Structures are given as structure tokens and as C-alpha cells.
Amino acid sequence: MTEDDTMAAMSSPPAVDGSRDPIFACSGEMAERCASFDWASTPLGEPSTWPASMRAVVGMVLRSRFPMTVTWGDEFVMIYNDGYIPTLGAKHPGALGSDLPHQFAEIWDEIGPRQRAVLAGGESESDEDVPFVLERGSGPEETFYTFCWSHVSLDGQAPGLGGVLTVLTERTGEVVGARRLALLNALAMRTAASADPDEALERTMHVLAEARDDLVHGSYYVAEANDRLTRGPGFDTTTRDDSEQARDGARRLVETCWTTGELTEERWDSGYGVALPVRASGRRVGVLLLELHPLRPLDGAHRQWLGLVGDQVSQVVGTAASRADEQARVEALAQLDAAKSEFLSTVSHELRT
């Protein structure tokens, strides 16, 4: 079949025997949904009446493995493919045939003017690693996308503005992963020279305080000789709840972590709290309490990173403690050597006398 034959098939009305419209005749969840959707209830009308350019781009979108959506008219009515479903989250499948401004009301002030400019026939727009705070069913969430918006023109068969084709890829994992790796490197580099545990902890808290996009609060709890935990240095990146209830939740989380010796988490009104055991010389010496940024979900990758943070802090504290012990031994040997020299000098003087 030639390219012209393919375009003609996509532009032709559905077969009279009720078989699936050619533009929806492909595999995938969204092709099935589009084929059975009541398009007459939307501003688009029946697919057989769609302009040829629209039918062609819809067929292309549904057949693509890359995340795509095409919106049509000044209502921005949405048609999207399987790859686009994760971007919608809980908004799927209700977003099909709905309008883009309603489905993405949380970011429409950011993308609306640019979408309207492209719809009006403006130049294509693209951007890389753009931050968006999306609502996908589990609360506001920080995301990053690389995208391109292109105008889909009418073919003269029907009045209207045409549409906007959106091709995108989510980059949240890569952007956040690079940010977290940078923090681990900063912890290693900026605490490497610490020769005192207290100094090491102060430097550690300064580094963690810079992770404003991942952490809201942190506190270190030092284990005393009687296994009693005493709150040590900490940080706050923003104003936070310091009510009695919040303090009780933090105390409970820290004590549980100290008892179990494992990463412990708890959901608070403001987000998640996580407690990490800190070890030195093979024994527990404290607990690091962290309150996570509410825009970052606590998933497997997040827990893995937090575990690495705990390991890094343990290494910092352990290395500083070892250096402090070594320095104490050196000073003790120096004092012993001085005392021995003084004793020999005294004995020698007495013998001469």
C-alpha cells in the first residue's frame, strides 16, 4: 500500500458493516477505547466527520509507542495514546474526550498561553527538563518533562483552528536521580576532612540543608551511655509544624528506628518522616530523622537513596570518631613519652648527684 493509499484509508468513513474505523484499527488500550468512545457527545463529533488532517494525526498518535497526545479546537479536546497514560495517572481514562485545561488545571497558567499560541498557527515550541507540579492521584507531585508542541493545521474540509500535537518524555527519574547523586557526592567531599564527630555532624547537616527539593527537616539523635537518645544538630529548610503532636510523632519514629535498627517511615500530615540508624565501628551510635519534601513521593528509588544517605552519614561519623580516637591515642602516647623522658631525666640527675 502506498502512502497515498494509507492516507486515504485513514480519511475514509467507517465501514458500513460496523467494523472499527481505520484510524482506530491498531493494537493498544487507547485504540480500543477510542473505537468505542461516544465522540458524538464531544465537540469533535463522529470520527467520520473529522478533517483528514485530524484523522491522519490521530492514527499516527495511536500507533506510536512514544508518549503523545493531540488536542483539537479551542476546547483542546484530548486524544492520547498508551504511552501518555502515566502522565495522566488517576486522570485516565476520564481524560479521553475531555478538555486539556480542565485535566491539567494545576499547570494551565503555565502552559495555556503557549498552547494557545501554537494552536493559532505559531511556531513549534520545545523545552527540556521543565519542572511541573502535577496532580496524578496521590497529591501534588514534582515532575520534569521534555516536550515539543506542534500545530496541526486544517485541510480545508471543515472550519476551525486545527489542533496541537504534543510529544513528550518524562525525565523526573533522571533529573531527581542526578540531584540526589550530587548530594551524596557533596556529603562525601565536604565532610572528608572532619576529625571530630561533632564537627562531622555539623557539616553533614549543612549539606543536607541544601537539599531543599528533597528534605524539609533533619535532626540527629545521639545515643548516650545509657542508650538514651539526645537530640543533637539539625536543620530546617522551611517553616514546619512544631506542635506537640508533631514532636510526639518524631519521637515515636526515632525510638522505633533505634529499637529495630532499620529504616523506619511514617506518614504525617505534612508528608513523610523517615528515621535512619547511624552506625560506627559496627554498633549503632545514633538516629538520623528526616522529614521529606511533600512533592516527592516515597517510592522504592526514594527509599534506596535514603538508605544511601544513612550509610554515608554512618561513614562520616565513624571515620570522624576513628580519627578522634587515633588523635587521642597519639596525644596519650606523647604524654607518656614526655613523662618517661622527665622520669629518666630525674633519675639521671639523682644518680649524678
Side-chain angles (χ1 to χ4, degrees):
M1 180 181 290
T2 66
E3 184 176 349
D4 291 340
D5 293 335
T6 301
M7 291 294 292
M10 287 187 175
S11 303
S12 61
V16 294
D17 62 358
S19 62
R20 186 184 294 189
D21 188 303
I23 62 173
F24 306 138
C26 58
S27 61
E29 175 186 347
M30 293 314 301
E32 293 280 351
R33 290 187 179 278
C34 286
S36 60
F37 192 79
D38 180 17
W39 293 106
S41 63
T42 73
L44 302 183
E46 292 291 347
S48 60
T49 67
W50 294 354
S53 58
M54 179 182 175
R55 291 177 58 81
V57 75
V58 168
M60 177 194 71
V61 165
L62 292 176
R63 287 162 175 78
S64 176
R65 302 296 184 185
F66 210 78
M68 292 185 181
T69 182
V70 58
T71 57
W72 202 257
D74 54 9
E75 299 94 346
F76 293 94
V77 180
M78 297 178 65
I79 304 174
Y80 54 92
N81 64 6
D82 290 10
Y84 193 79
I85 293 175
T87 299
L88 292 165
K91 297 172 182 176
H92 169 76
L96 182 62
S98 181
D99 59 286
L100 187 70
H102 172 71
Q103 294 297 332
F104 288 100
E106 66 270 27
I107 61 170
W108 187 246
D109 287 344
E110 301 172 60
I111 68 173
R114 300 174 70 178
Q115 285 266 334
R116 292 192 183 281
V118 173
L119 178 63
E123 294 291 332
S124 296
E125 292 202 24
S126 62
D127 218 334
E128 295 184 356
D129 297 343
V130 182
F132 293 119
V133 178
L134 296 183
E135 176 60 75
R136 300 195 282 193
S138 58
E141 177 185 348
E142 175 194 39
T143 62
F144 293 85
Y145 282 91
T146 292
F147 63 85
C148 178
W149 296 328
S150 302
H151 181 246
V152 181
S153 61
L154 288 169
D155 52 14
Q157 296 183 9
L161 298 171
V164 177
L165 173 65
T166 301
V167 182
L168 55 81
T169 182
E170 183 169 359
R171 295 268 303 157
T172 306
E174 291 79 1
V175 173
V176 173
R179 187 172 74 198
R180 290 171 175 171
L181 180 60
L183 178 72
L184 292 174
N185 289 335
L187 274 175
M189 296 294 293
R190 290 163 57 182
T191 60
S194 301
D196 176 77
D198 292 337
E199 177 192 3
L201 285 172
E202 289 291 346
R203 292 188 180 187
T204 295
M205 291 303 160
H206 281 304
V207 175
L208 294 178
E210 296 174 4
R212 295 178 175 273
D213 294 322
D214 291 287
L215 304 174
V216 173
H217 166 78
S219 295
Y220 184 76
Y221 290 79
V222 185
E224 304 293 350
N226 58 357
D227 270 0
R228 180 181 178 85
L229 294 172
T230 303
R231 183 173 175 177
F235 68 89
D236 288 301
T237 62
T238 185
T239 303
R240 56 187 292 274
D241 181 15
D242 195 31
S243 64
E244 184 64 29
Q245 183 179 13
R247 290 194 294 272
D248 286 344
R251 192 180 305 113
R252 180 174 61 252
L253 192 59
V254 168
E255 290 174 353
T256 301
C257 176
W258 178 251
T259 301
T260 62
E262 298 177 353
L263 183 151
T264 308
E265 63 188 60
E266 186 175 299
R267 182 65 183 265
W268 296 338
D269 292 340
S270 56
Y272 275 98
V274 174
L276 304 163
V278 177
R279 296 178 173 85
S281 302
R283 62 185 181 86
R284 279 175 287 159
V285 295
V287 173
L288 177 63
L289 175 68
L290 298 174
E291 184 176 340
L292 310 184
H293 197 290
L295 294 182
R296 290 259 34 92
L298 183 56
D299 53 18
H302 204 166
R303 291 185 180 91
Q304 183 180 25
W305 175 70
L306 290 168
L308 292 174
V309 170
D311 292 342
Q312 186 70 51
V313 174
S314 292
Q315 183 175 351
V316 168
V317 173
T319 300
S322 297
R323 287 174 178 169
D325 291 342
E326 181 64 25
Q327 182 63 30
R329 283 194 295 271
V330 169
E331 292 175 357
L333 288 173
Q335 291 175 359
L336 179 61
D337 188 62
K340 182 176 70 173
S341 297
E342 182 180 357
F343 173 76
L344 291 175
S345 176
T346 302
V347 170
S348 177
H349 175 73
E350 292 295 333
L351 288 175
R352 286 197 303 271
T353 301

